[in-house]
Amino acid sequence: MTRANTYQHPAKGPECRECKRNYMRGYMRKLRAKLTAKPKRRRRPA
């Protein structure tokens, strides 16, 4: 963490910008995949 890539979060303290960017990129990728996925088929009761 350098001064150039550190964000001072008001509640959490210092955060690395690149680490945060990588985390959010993966999180949003999973969220978008979940939202665009086809709904699971429900089985009819026998």
Side-chain angles (χ1 to χ4, degrees):
M1 281 183 15
T2 63
R3 189 174 189 99
N5 75 346
T6 303
Y7 168 68
Q8 189 65 31
H9 192 278
K12 298 179 186 176
E15 291 183 339
C16 173
R17 289 182 193 272
E18 192 61 31
C19 298
K20 183 76 168 182
R21 193 173 293 131
N22 288 336
Y23 169 77
M24 288 306 292
R25 190 176 293 135
Y27 171 78
M28 292 306 290
R29 186 176 291 135
K30 286 180 184 177
L31 183 65
R32 286 186 201 107
K34 186 177 177 182
L35 293 175
T36 60
K38 291 182 181 178
K40 294 181 179 179
R41 290 185 64 180
R42 296 177 64 187
R43 291 178 58 186
R44 285 196 280 167

